[in-house]
């Protein structure tokens, strides 16, 4: 007999034995019989199947292949012929864990089911009450699979949450919204798998309700991870993710690799939240009030602290503002791209809006296609951004120049190496801009108090110049006014410039404040004692000891020192 074929009579005999074995197994489960007599009958059938295999003169693997090809459902009785064949001692059964074991007779137990005859057990048919592919570890708030095509799985994410599961696998496209994320401190995960592009889609039925939302009236909602799925909505979509704080916090949220074409992502009252490699485009007609500003159609809002964005694109198709952030201790990095695609005028639409933010590192990002790259301040009277750094940005996508709109104060903000010239538009008395811009590009300030902005221009020869915005007129430089000699034990640093107060400390003996430099041996006057007239508008002499660049009609760019008597003493030129 060929090793790959088997006599038809032998096949029939094996099938008869297989049927007999299944009857014994069914009897044992139905009657609850655990007697030795039944076990002995089962073992006898095992022996007969093995004898038939030996009689066929075939290897067990080839015997199994031939039986399977003949359509018989040969079970574990042939695959695991005996305890001895598995090297299992009679008092040492094989046990992997509580969900899988083999007894001393070679019987296979899978999650409480006798799976000795695996041909008659379908993994998807295991009772949902005892665990299945769709529902695992139900007693511990375990894992559920959402896949409406399979009866053993859940039809919706909400039904899985309602059943007590906290780790949700979305395995196929669904239509659903108004999904309430459970609150509390247990980790909640909603993760997609499969789908045409590897990320299954949640279609928003566009009732105006959020797709996902949380209720923080009773408890915090902490440690929520959403990843690897898409949301598709339309003009009537509510928020795609609504995590707006009510009484309690949302904290420790993580959004990864999510693509949204629908409503916005609202993370207001959120702490320790990260958004990684997500693409969000707000295409809804529903507007919101954000930071006191109404009629806003944002793609993403964050209001909280310890926030991070890495990569991804964020766009809106309506309104003046796109991404709106109010955060402390935050980071934007990794090539985030912001684009306001709305039809409002370039002078009104912004890619990125800061309001009430501080201690931020905004770097490695891009603003595209809008008249305003960054808007500082929405509508409320508070600082828009402070103690922050903006660097390595790709700006000026619409006009070839970077545009900052300053509506509310910004304080101690440094911009490093802009890629285009910068134009700062200041609006009203609240638009003070304590900003330092470092780089070789031009800077223009339109509006009040242009001297708020300090420019440090670099050159290829290694030199740099502290100056004003190109249209500001002058920049003030203030050395310290001191009442005693600086330096350790009376030894100041060579080349150091200072202004003695002329009363408590007067190394030059002039009796007034005077710009003074230490040459390594003694203090010397930086300026000559002769005076000259300005020939134009005099700088304000009320702050004695200041150095001022003056653009006057006689000597453009000339530097003067203002004395207590109000005289201007020429000390150098910027030319």
């Amino acid at each position: 007999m060929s090793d790959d074929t088997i006599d038809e009579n032998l096949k029939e005999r094996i099938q008869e034995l297989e049927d007999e074995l299944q009857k014994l197994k069914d009897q044992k489960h139905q009657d609850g019989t655990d007697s030795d007599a039944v076990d002995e009958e089962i073992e006898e059938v095992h022996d007969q199947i093995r004898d038939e295999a030996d009689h066929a003169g075939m290897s067990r693997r080839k015997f199994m292949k031939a039986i399977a090809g003949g359509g018989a459902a040969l079970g574990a009785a042939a695959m695991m012929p005996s305890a001895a064949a598995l090297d299992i001692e009679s008092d040492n059964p094989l046990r992997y864990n509580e969900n899988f074991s083999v007894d001393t007779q070679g019987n296979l137990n899978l999650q409480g089911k006798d799976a000795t005859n695996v041909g008659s057990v379908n993994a998807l048919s295991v009772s949902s009450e005892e665990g299945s592919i769709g529902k695992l570890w139900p007693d511990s708030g375990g894992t559920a699979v959402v896949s409406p095509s399979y009866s053993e799985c859940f039809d919706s994410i909400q039904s899985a949450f309602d059943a007590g599961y906290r780790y949700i696998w979305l395995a196929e496209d669904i239509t659903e919204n108004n999904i309430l994320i459970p609150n509390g401190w247990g980790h909640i995960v909603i993760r997609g798998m499969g789908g045409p592009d590897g990320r299954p889609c949640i279609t928003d039925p566009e009732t105006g309700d959020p797709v996902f939302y949380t209720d923080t009236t009773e408890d915090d909602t902490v440690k929520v991870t959403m990843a690897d799925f898409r949301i598709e909505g339309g003009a009537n979509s509510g928020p795609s993710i609504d995590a707006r704080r009510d009484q309690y916090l949302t904290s420790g949220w993580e959004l990864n690799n999510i693509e949204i074409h629908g409503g916005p992502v609202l993370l207001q009252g959120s702490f320790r939240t990260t958004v990684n490699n997500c693409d969000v485009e707000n295409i809804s007609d529903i507007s919101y009030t954000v930071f006191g500003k109404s009629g806003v159609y944002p793609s993403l809002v964050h209001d909280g602290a310890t926030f991070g964005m890495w990569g991804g694109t964020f766009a809106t198709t309506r309104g003046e503002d796109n991404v709106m952030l109010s955060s402390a201790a935050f980071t934007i990095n990794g090539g985030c791209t912001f684009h306001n695609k709305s039809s409002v005028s370039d002078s009104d639409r912004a890619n990125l809006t800061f309001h009430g933010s501080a201690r931020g590192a905004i770097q490695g990002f891009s603003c595209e296609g809008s008249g305003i790259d960054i808007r500082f301040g929405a509508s409320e009277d508070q600082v828009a951004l402070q103690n922050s750094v903006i660097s390595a940005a790709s700006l000026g996508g619409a006009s070839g120049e970077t545009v900052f709109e300053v509506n509310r104060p910004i304080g101690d903000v440094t911009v490093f190496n802009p890629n285009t010239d910068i134009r700062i538009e200041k609006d009203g008395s609240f638009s003070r801009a304590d900003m330092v811009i470092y780089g070789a590009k031009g800077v223009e300030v339109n509006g009040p108090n242009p001297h708020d902005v300090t420019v440090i221009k670099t050159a290829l020869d290694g030199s740099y110049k502290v100056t004003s915005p190109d249209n500001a007129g002058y920049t003030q430089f203030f050395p310290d006014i001191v009442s005693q000699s600086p330096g350790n034990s009376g030894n100041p640093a060579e080349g150091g410039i200072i202004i003695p107060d002329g009363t408590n400390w007067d190394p030059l003996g002039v009796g007034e404040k005077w710009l003074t430099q230490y040459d390594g041996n003694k203090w010397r006057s930086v300026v000559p004692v002769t005076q000259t007239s300005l020939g134009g508008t005099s700088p304000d002499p009320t702050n004695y000891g200041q150095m001022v660049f003056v653009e006057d009609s006689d000597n453009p760019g000339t530097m003067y020192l203002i004395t207590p008597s109000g005289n201007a003493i020429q000390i150098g030129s910027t030319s």
Side-chain angles (χ1 to χ4, degrees), residues 293-297 316-322 339-351 353 368-372 375 398 405:
K293 183 175 182 178
S294 60
V296 176
Y297 303 82
T316 186
T317 56
R318 294 165 176 79
E320 296 182 355
D321 297 274
N322 176 27
H339 190 182
N340 189 332
K341 300 178 180 180
S342 70
S343 59
V344 301
S345 66
D346 274 355
S347 60
D348 292 325
R349 59 190 177 107
N351 289 309
T353 299
E368 299 182 355
S370 299
I372 301 169
R375 171 175 285 140
E405 180 185 89

Side-chain angles (χ1 to χ4, degrees), residues 480-562:
D480 282 340
I481 300 175
V482 299
S483 59
Q484 61 182 9
S485 175
N488 184 22
S489 302
N491 296 313
E494 183 176 354
I497 296 177
I498 205 84
I499 300 177
D501 65 5
T503 301
N504 299 295
W505 182 49
D506 187 14
L508 301 182
V510 296
E512 59 180 69
K513 301 177 182 69
W514 206 268
L515 190 65
T516 307
Q517 183 179 40
Y518 189 71
D519 66 2
N521 294 307
K522 67 176 185 177
W523 291 97
R524 295 181 177 276
S525 173
V526 174
V527 299
V529 181
T530 58
Q531 297 183 359
T532 181
S533 64
L534 291 177
T537 302
S538 174
D540 181 1
T542 57
N543 195 337
Y544 305 139
Q546 65 182 338
M547 283 198 302
V548 180
F549 288 102
V550 178
E551 296 290 344
D552 66 63
S553 57
D554 293 339
N555 299 292
T558 301
M559 183 186 298
Y560 294 89
L561 177 70
I562 309 302

Side-chain angles (χ1 to χ4, degrees), residues 70-90:
L74 188 63
M79 287 192 288
M80 293 183 288
S82 69
L86 288 171
D87 295 325
I88 300 175
E89 300 175 8
S90 60

Side-chain angles (χ1 to χ4, degrees), residues 157 161 166-170 179 181 188-192 202 212 224-229 258:
I157 296 173
F161 280 141
R166 302 179 74 87
Y167 199 117
I168 311 297
W169 284 98
L170 178 61
I179 303 167
I181 299 173
I188 296 170
V189 177
I190 306 162
R191 189 180 300 275
I202 302 172
F212 293 98
V224 175
T225 298
M226 299 185 183
D228 303 327
F229 59 83
I258 299 173

Side-chain angles (χ1 to χ4, degrees), residues 91-368:
D91 60 348
N92 184 27
L94 174 63
R95 180 175 295 277
Y96 177 69
N97 58 30
E98 293 301 323
N99 297 318
F100 174 83
S101 65
V102 180
D103 65 19
T104 57
Q105 281 77 43
N107 298 320
L108 173 64
N109 183 290
L110 178 62
Q111 291 195 346
K113 290 284 185 178
D114 183 356
T116 303
N117 186 349
V118 296
S120 64
V121 178
N122 185 324
L124 286 177
S125 68
V126 181
S127 168
S128 63
E129 295 300 320
E130 299 181 2
S132 72
I133 294 298
K135 304 157 188 177
L136 303 176
W137 308 292
D139 295 333
S140 60
T143 300
V145 176
V146 175
S147 184
S149 297
Y150 292 90
S151 60
E152 298 80 12
C153 300
F154 286 97
D155 292 335
S156 66
I157 296 173
Q158 187 63 63
S159 62
F161 280 141
D162 291 344
Y165 293 91
R166 302 179 74 87
Y167 199 117
I168 311 297
W169 284 98
L170 178 61
E172 65 176 280
D173 296 349
I174 61 172
T175 297
E176 187 177 5
N177 70 355
N178 220 25
I179 303 167
L180 174 61
I181 299 173
N183 55 24
W185 285 75
H187 200 167
I188 296 170
V189 177
I190 306 162
R191 189 180 300 275
M193 62 177 181
D197 72 342
R199 292 184 296 178
C201 180
I202 302 172
T203 298
D204 178 10
E206 297 189 52
T207 61
D209 297 307
V211 177
F212 293 98
Y213 76 102
T214 184
D215 180 5
T216 58
T217 59
E218 296 181 356
D219 199 355
D220 298 336
T221 306
V222 179
K223 293 293 183 183
V224 175
T225 298
M226 299 185 183
D228 303 327
F229 59 83
R230 295 174 291 127
I231 296 176
E232 290 289 342
N236 296 314
S237 289
S240 294
I241 300 173
D242 190 348
R244 285 177 284 186
R245 174 183 179 180
D246 192 342
Q247 184 176 354
Y248 292 90
L249 302 178
T250 58
S251 178
W253 285 46
E254 185 176 5
L255 310 182
N256 297 321
N257 195 32
I258 299 173
E259 181 178 344
I260 296 173
H261 296 276
V265 175
L266 306 177
L267 305 170
Q268 293 175 261
S270 179
F271 294 82
R272 290 181 291 280
T273 295
T274 57
V275 178
N276 304 306
N277 195 37
C278 292
D279 299 315
V280 181
E281 183 173 15
N282 184 1
I283 59 175
S284 174
D285 287 339
I286 299 175
S287 66
Y288 300 84
T289 298
V290 181
F291 308 141
K293 183 175 182 178
S294 60
V296 176
Y297 303 82
S299 60
L300 181 143
V301 176
H302 181 266
D303 182 6
T306 51
F307 173 68
M309 299 178 72
W310 183 273
T313 60
F314 301 85
T316 186
T317 56
R318 294 165 176 79
E320 296 182 355
D321 297 274
N322 176 27
V323 171
M324 304 182 74
L325 301 180
S326 178
S327 184
F330 69 96
T331 298
I332 297 174
N333 208 329
C336 289
T337 300
F338 307 105
H339 190 182
N340 189 332
K341 300 178 180 180
S342 70
S343 59
V344 301
S345 66
D346 274 355
S347 60
D348 292 325
R349 59 190 177 107
N351 289 309
L352 179 59
T353 299
F354 289 109
H355 185 82
S357 296
R359 304 188 304 281
I362 310 116
Q363 54 191 353
F365 69 102
S366 175
C367 289
E368 299 182 355

